[in-house]
């Protein structure tokens, strides 16, 4: 039996492929090694993996994760996986490679992630060949759920929200400005906290124009600061994975076309395509 997993900063999607070819899907929280250490990942997996998962029978774990872009960060996750899946061969890859493989298979092109965080790349059909650093949630991550959430929170703190939206925000969360600053600057995983407010933006119907403009300016920043800096970017189709890109795809497609790119695949999660990639296109290869 083998496992293929796609791990974001918020959630990890897993697929167990049995010897008979049956696919079993389950979820755990996300494990970004910049925010979660080896011990934390071990503890979380021990508590959250399905109780009937026969770990001793799993021969291979192919895990793609947010933050797994350097050997040092991959080792944080690999060490944890090796403890939990002690009899498995463990392969760790970057979630950007997962996105490229899920979106493009063995074809070259442009791929992006727009979820809790942001990432982008050019892909040659085998590996990532060009990647502009997203800057992560403090310095960048334009277009992400965290970026949209931060823009919303800033408007709330500064009193820029339309009054109806501000009242709706208060009724929904009961957060004061002091509460927000305390959570963002003193508690862990502020990126998840900020990103959680992108759902409020998506659900907000008291002022759709305000919400749409918030998302649009975030996507405009995403294209201006990241996408348009890739060489000959307009020759590629725009392909994207992630809940934010998928949920706000009507706005994303508009901004994409305005920047001279043709819209390609925009999907919520790579897991199904990743499973297909490993079973059909490149079995046992990370």
């Amino acid at each position: 039996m083998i496992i293929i997993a796609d791990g974001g900063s918020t959630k990890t999607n897993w697929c167990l492929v049995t010897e008979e070819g049956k696919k079993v899907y389950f979820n755990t929280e996300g494990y970004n090694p910049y925010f979660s250490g080896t011990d934390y990942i071990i503890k979380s997996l021990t508590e959250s993996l399905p109780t009937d998962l026969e770990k001793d029978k799993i021969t291979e774990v192919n895990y793609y994760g947010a933050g797994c872009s350097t050997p040092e960060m991959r080792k944080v996750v690999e060490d944890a996986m090796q403890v939990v899946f002690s009899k498995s061969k463990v392969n760790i890859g970057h979630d950007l490679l997962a996105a490229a493989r899920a979106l493009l298979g063995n074809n070259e092109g442009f791929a992006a992630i727009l979820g809790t965080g942001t990432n982008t790349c050019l892909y040659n059909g085998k590996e990532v060949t060009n990647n502009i650093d997203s800057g992560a949630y403090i310095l960048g991550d334009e277009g992400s759920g965290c970026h949209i959430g931060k823009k919303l929170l800033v408007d709330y703190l500064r009193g820029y929200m339309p009054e109806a939206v501000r009242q709706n925000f208060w009724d929904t969360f009961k957060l004061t400005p002091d509460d927000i600053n305390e959570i963002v600057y003193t508690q862990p995983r502020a990126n998840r906290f900020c990103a959680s407010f992108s759902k409020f933006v998506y659900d907000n119907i008291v002022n759709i124009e305000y919400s749409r403009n918030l998302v649009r300016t975030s996507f405009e920043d995403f294209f201006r600061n990241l996408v348009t800096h890739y060489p000959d970017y307009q020759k590629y189709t725009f392909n994207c994975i992630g809940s934010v890109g998928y949920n706000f795809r009507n706005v994303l497609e508009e901004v994409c076309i305005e920047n001279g790119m043709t819209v390609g695949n925009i999907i919520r999660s790579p897991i199904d395509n990743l499973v297909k990639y490993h079973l059909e296109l490149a079995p046992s290869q990370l």
Side-chain angles (χ1 to χ4, degrees):
M1 297 193 295
I2 69 170
I3 279 180
I4 298 102
D6 168 60
S9 291
T10 301
K11 182 176 73 173
T12 301
N13 298 311
W14 303 76
C15 180
L16 170 71
V17 183
T18 68
E19 294 174 351
E20 297 79 26
K22 180 182 178 182
K23 299 169 186 175
V24 181
Y25 295 88
F26 53 93
N27 300 319
T28 66
E29 68 172 303
Y31 307 108
N32 188 320
Y34 283 96
F35 313 123
S36 302
T38 297
D39 290 343
Y40 178 88
I41 297 172
I42 293 171
K43 182 176 185 296
S44 175
L45 287 175
T46 301
E47 295 173 350
S48 58
L49 286 173
T51 55
D52 59 349
L53 183 65
E54 298 178 286
K55 295 190 286 291
D56 289 348
K57 293 185 179 180
I58 296 169
T59 58
E60 184 175 302
V61 175
N62 297 301
Y63 179 91
Y64 298 84
C68 296
S69 55
T70 68
E72 294 78 16
M73 292 297 102
R74 285 193 291 272
K75 190 172 190 310
V76 170
V77 179
E78 181 181 358
D79 288 349
M81 296 292 167
Q82 205 65 73
V83 169
V84 176
F85 302 100
S86 58
K87 296 186 178 180
S88 303
K89 176 185 177 183
V90 174
N91 302 308
I92 306 296
H94 195 202
D95 65 341
L96 187 58
L97 181 60
R101 288 177 170 176
L103 288 164
L104 298 163
N106 290 333
N107 301 311
E108 68 171 11
F110 173 89
I113 297 172
L114 286 172
T116 300
T118 295
N119 218 332
T120 54
C121 74
L122 296 182
Y123 172 72
N124 67 1
K126 294 182 179 179
E127 60 188 17
V128 171
T129 57
N130 193 346
N131 167 234
I132 298 173
D133 198 311
S134 73
Y137 81 98
I138 292 178
L139 299 178
D141 267 357
E142 295 91 330
S144 69
C146 185
H147 191 253
I148 292 169
K150 285 196 299 181
K151 288 169 71 67
L152 180 82
L153 292 176
V154 167
D155 280 0
Y156 180 68
L157 293 174
R158 294 175 177 171
Y160 295 165
M161 275 183 181
E163 182 55 34
V165 180
R166 184 177 180 84
Q167 186 61 51
N168 188 21
F169 183 93
W170 171 255
D171 292 342
T172 303
F173 302 109
K174 295 294 192 295
L175 289 169
T176 68
D178 286 344
D179 292 333
I180 292 169
N181 282 316
E182 194 273 333
I183 294 170
V184 169
Y185 291 108
T186 69
Q187 296 188 20
R189 296 176 180 83
N191 61 323
R192 292 187 193 176
F193 173 73
C194 293
S196 69
F197 294 99
S198 64
K199 184 179 186 303
F200 174 82
V201 176
Y202 181 76
D203 291 339
N204 172 50
I205 59 172
V206 299
N207 191 321
I208 295 174
E209 183 181 358
Y210 169 77
S211 295
R212 184 180 179 85
N213 185 61
L214 200 72
V215 173
R216 168 174 270 277
T217 55
S218 185
F219 286 157
E220 288 171 348
D221 290 344
F222 167 66
F223 271 85
R224 180 173 58 253
N225 297 336
L226 290 166
V227 180
T228 59
H229 290 269
Y230 284 96
D232 301 320
Y233 73 95
Q234 291 176 327
K235 79 175 185 180
Y236 302 105
T237 59
F238 178 86
N239 304 285
C240 175
I241 273 176
S243 58
V244 172
Y246 183 83
N247 288 337
F248 296 111
R249 61 191 178 278
N250 56 334
V251 182
L252 179 60
E253 290 174 357
E254 289 178 3
V255 178
C256 178
I257 292 169
E258 288 168 6
N259 281 274
M261 292 185 80
T262 300
V263 178
N265 296 317
I266 298 178
I267 61 178
R268 182 186 295 275
S269 169
I271 189 65
D272 288 325
N273 289 359
L274 266 184
V275 171
K276 180 179 179 180
Y277 178 89
H278 276 276
L279 295 181
E280 299 178 12
L281 299 179
S284 301
Q285 177 185 331
L286 241 184

